[in-house]
Amino acid sequence: MPLDFDRLPAGWAHQIRQASLAGLLHTLQDGMQLQIRTRVSAVKSAGKSSLRAGQRVSVHQPELREWWRHRADAAGLRMNDDLGWEASRENMICSSTGAAWAPAIVEGIAAVTSAEALSTAIIDGVGKARAYGFGLLSARPMA
């Protein structure tokens, strides 16, 4: 879907460049190795025995790696432990409206297990808070 730049205020953007994802999406194949990076809002529902039962709570190390591994599987990726990958927490982000996010950066090497699921994840994003810019998946084929 092309962007409509006519709706931007005059002088807001001096030079606009668009890039298509079509080339990447058409080259994705099961088994392909990719270098990936994403910034996600790492949250889960608190357990029934928690004081915050039913609420969303931050995911911390060491379960952050397993949290991402589950989301990567759903996105058609298998993280490559031999070539390395990491998931690291950033400081909590709070907005002026009281919303809070628990960001984490995930980067490393992954194998495509489902090109169709990965295409959807690249277009739609992964996890919660996508409307706030979290879960945008960057993927680059390995040379």
Side-chain angles (χ1 to χ4, degrees):
M1 174 183 209
L3 300 173
D4 182 5
F5 296 110
D6 295 332
R7 298 185 62 166
L8 292 175
W12 192 79
H14 300 286
Q15 183 180 13
I16 299 171
R17 290 183 1 193
Q18 285 191 97
S20 173
L21 291 174
L24 172 65
L25 299 179
H26 290 296
T27 61
L28 293 176
Q29 299 175 24
D30 291 359
M32 178 182 227
Q33 295 285 315
L34 301 174
Q35 182 176 357
I36 63 124
R37 186 174 200 278
T38 187
R39 184 176 190 222
V40 292
S41 179
V43 295
K44 65 178 182 174
S45 294
K48 293 179 181 180
S49 61
S50 170
L51 294 174
R52 297 184 61 192
Q55 296 179 354
R56 297 218 177 267
V57 296
S58 300
V59 176
H60 297 281
Q61 295 287 10
E63 64 183 325
L64 181 59
R65 284 179 65 89
E66 192 57 37
W67 178 91
W68 171 251
R69 198 181 293 274
H70 176 72
R71 272 134 197 92
D73 287 345
L77 292 170
R78 184 183 66 251
M79 302 311 294
N80 189 322
D81 291 323
D82 294 333
L83 295 178
W85 68 279
E86 63 181 83
S88 57
R89 291 298 312 264
E90 290 185 320
N91 293 329
M92 184 73 90
I93 298 173
C94 298
S95 74
S96 59
T97 61
W101 296 278
I105 299 286
V106 178
E107 52 192 341
I109 308 300
V112 177
T113 58
S114 169
E116 184 177 340
L118 180 56
S119 293
T120 300
I122 289 171
I123 293 168
D124 294 343
V126 178
K128 303 290 182 192
R130 293 184 309 269
Y132 299 98
F134 292 96
L136 304 175
L137 186 60
S138 297
R140 183 180 69 139
M142 298 295 292

